Amino acid sequence: MEMAKSLTIAKVSNHIPEDLAFSAVLYKLPLKSLKRFGCVSKTWSLLFQNPNFLSKFRNNLISIPHSYYNDTSLLLNQVMYHDHNNSQVYSSMHSLFGEKYENRLKLEFPNPFQEEDPFFNILCCGSITGILCLFQHHKVVLWNPTTDEFKVIPPSSAESIPPPWDPSPLLYGFGYDHVSDDYKIIRHVCYFLNTQGEDWDDLLSSSQTCYEHLWEIYSLRCNSWRKIDVDIPRDWEVSTENGLFMDGICHWYSSCTKNDDECEHILVSFDLTNEVSFATLIPLDIDANEKCNFVQRNLMMLNGSIASISWYIHTSTFHISVLAELGVKESWTKLFVVGPLPYIQYPVGAGKNGHIFFTKKDGGLVHFDLTTQMIEELGGVKGAHYYSEVIIYKENLLSIGGINH
């Protein structure tokens, strides 16, 4: 009797109606779980090839509010041209609000940039912490727009070297380490020989010291830089605004060229607590009709998930893949294809619930709703700009000076 009962239960469990599984259970699971469950059966391994399931999963992913966005707003940072000759640029930042982002409030920058029409870059990795990392050449400043408090970051000993060598620091990540209650910046410092018209070989032979490239990390609590021994994939053309910070980890893109001249794309992740890095290969998720090194990529947060948006140069169709598990290349899953959008140039950020912002070829801005597939312009945004970026920002009443002391 017991054996018959066990066989009946097993038989029923092996024949769960697919409609029930799709509608009631599976599409609501996290992507990481679904990828791991692919080994359960062939049907489950082919879930993302089922249009009905894919549609339900996508809608669920972008429609359910994620805690990542609690009490957040959007900031629009633009670098604008001064004149028609496009010879000089300046920065302009606004807070966006309203159902269609129709309202904006201009933000005034901190004192270190109180020059006439200042220009600076933002390291986007840590914007969700409530503190922005601004930099202008070698000057780095932490700024809390909520309290208008700022902190000028001191230089490190790695920058104090004699000629003919010139240090070139490049910022990669910024974020909050909740274990040590500290804000940290990670950067790479490389050294170049400044010839100033002299022969390169003569300078190199006469130089007493040859400086090796190094990685450094800054601690706000200690107010100092220190060298760290890490092996991190490095990209000389890293985009400072193309980074993310989530749950104590900074993420950014890197790329390298293989022996066959193909470009390999990598998601680099750096844990601010343990100060270790790891890499996740990114597959070519668009039609392989051109070489991989012609692929453009942006990193974004899609309703709490790490996403990669890719497109070929001079095209207007954008492919969006979501990462299920760090370090696992196979866990990338392509979920959306946006376009073609003929007058769109490139993505500049993402908001809540599947809103993606793009810059137009004439310099204006639009936001695209992945749920409705509708696109709308942001009225009042100037067109003549150098670049734009949309940043998720969370207000923070924390005193920067409090952590520093």
Side-chain angles (χ1 to χ4, degrees), residues 349-363:
K352 305 177 184 180
N353 298 339
H355 281 188
I356 302 177
F357 294 83
F358 293 90
T359 184
K360 296 166 54 182
K361 292 180 180 178
D362 65 3

Side-chain angles (χ1 to χ4, degrees), residues 332-349:
W332 287 101
T333 303
K334 186 162 75 170
L335 295 180
F336 301 93
V337 177
V338 177
L341 304 173
Y343 56 94
I344 297 302
Q345 193 165 23
Y346 57 85
V348 294

Side-chain angles (χ1 to χ4, degrees), residues 28-32 57-73 128 244-248 300-307 322-324 350-355 392-394:
K28 296 182 180 180
L29 293 178
L31 183 57
K32 181 177 180 179
F57 181 83
R58 287 187 303 207
N59 289 336
N60 185 71
L61 176 71
I62 60 180
S63 62
I64 296 180
H66 193 280
S67 58
Y68 179 84
Y69 301 95
N70 290 347
D71 303 318
T72 60
S73 58
I128 194 66
L244 296 175
F245 169 79
M246 186 174 68
D247 299 331
M300 67 174 63
M301 190 65 66
L302 190 59
N303 211 21
S305 297
I306 296 174
V322 175
L323 180 65
K352 305 177 184 180
N353 298 339
H355 281 188
I392 299 171
Y393 177 75
K394 178 176 289 189

Side-chain angles (χ1 to χ4, degrees), residues 6 69 71 73 106 122 124 129 139 155 161 163 183 220 272 278 282 290 294 317 319:
S6 298
Y69 301 95
D71 303 318
S73 58
K106 186 174 182 179
I122 299 179
C124 281
T129 64
K139 179 186 287 185
I161 59 170
Y183 285 84
L220 176 60
L272 291 177
F278 42 98
I282 306 173
E290 295 187 53
F294 290 113
T317 299
H319 303 251

Side-chain angles (χ1 to χ4, degrees), residues 259-300:
N259 293 333
D260 57 1
D261 291 332
E262 286 292 323
C263 185
E264 190 172 66
H265 293 261
I266 304 169
L267 175 70
V268 180
S269 304
F270 183 81
D271 189 318
L272 291 177
T273 299
N274 302 318
E275 296 184 0
V276 296
S277 70
F278 42 98
T280 308
L281 289 174
I282 306 173
L284 183 63
D285 54 0
I286 55 185
D287 297 333
N289 56 358
E290 295 187 53
K291 288 188 176 181
C292 180
N293 51 336
F294 290 113
V295 174
Q296 300 288 294
R297 293 188 187 272
N298 262 21
L299 202 59
M300 67 174 63

Side-chain angles (χ1 to χ4, degrees), residues 142-204:
L142 298 184
W143 175 43
N144 185 337
T146 305
T147 62
D148 204 30
E149 184 183 13
F150 67 90
K151 164 73 179 176
V152 178
I153 305 303
S156 76
S157 59
E159 298 175 71
S160 303
I161 59 170
W165 294 96
D166 281 341
S168 180
L170 183 60
L171 300 175
Y172 278 78
F174 164 66
Y176 175 68
D177 176 5
H178 69 280
V179 175
S180 60
D181 186 26
D182 197 3
Y183 285 84
K184 296 178 178 180
I185 303 170
I186 180 171
R187 73 178 182 182
H188 183 258
V189 183
C190 54
Y191 299 93
F192 297 98
L193 201 59
N194 187 354
T195 62
Q196 292 183 337
E198 299 187 44
D199 185 81
W200 193 91
D201 290 329
D202 291 342
L203 279 175
L204 187 61

